């Protein structure tokens, strides 16, 4: 099996690193907000037992 050459890693300047960090922060906040929304909706459904009585 032939050896693969080492991939070339681009060097980012300070502005690109700052933009990447900002983008990652917003993506993380969006993901955390979505997880929180799903948790709250699940908690509400479990506490109100929505849909359980109709199925039984």
């Amino acid at each position: 099996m032939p050896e693969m050459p080492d991939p070339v890693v681009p060097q980012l300047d300070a502005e690109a690193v700052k933009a990447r960090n900002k983008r990652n922060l917003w993506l993380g906040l969006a993901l955390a907000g979505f997880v929180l929304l799903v948790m709250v909706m699940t908690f509400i459904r479990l506490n109100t037992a929505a849909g359980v009585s109709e199925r039984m």
Side-chain angles (χ1 to χ4, degrees):
M1 186 171 194
E3 288 190 29
M4 300 293 291
D6 290 335
V8 177
V9 179
Q11 297 298 321
L12 301 176
D13 59 349
E15 186 177 327
V17 171
K18 187 176 179 181
R20 181 180 61 188
N21 289 341
K22 187 175 180 180
R23 187 169 50 248
N24 287 343
L25 174 67
W26 283 109
L27 282 172
L29 289 173
L31 179 61
F34 177 72
V35 169
L36 184 64
L37 176 67
V38 169
M39 286 175 55
V40 168
M41 294 297 292
T42 302
F43 184 72
I44 290 171
R45 280 187 60 113
L46 288 174
N47 279 338
T48 59
V52 172
S53 61
E54 293 89 23
R55 288 184 271 175
M56 297 183 116

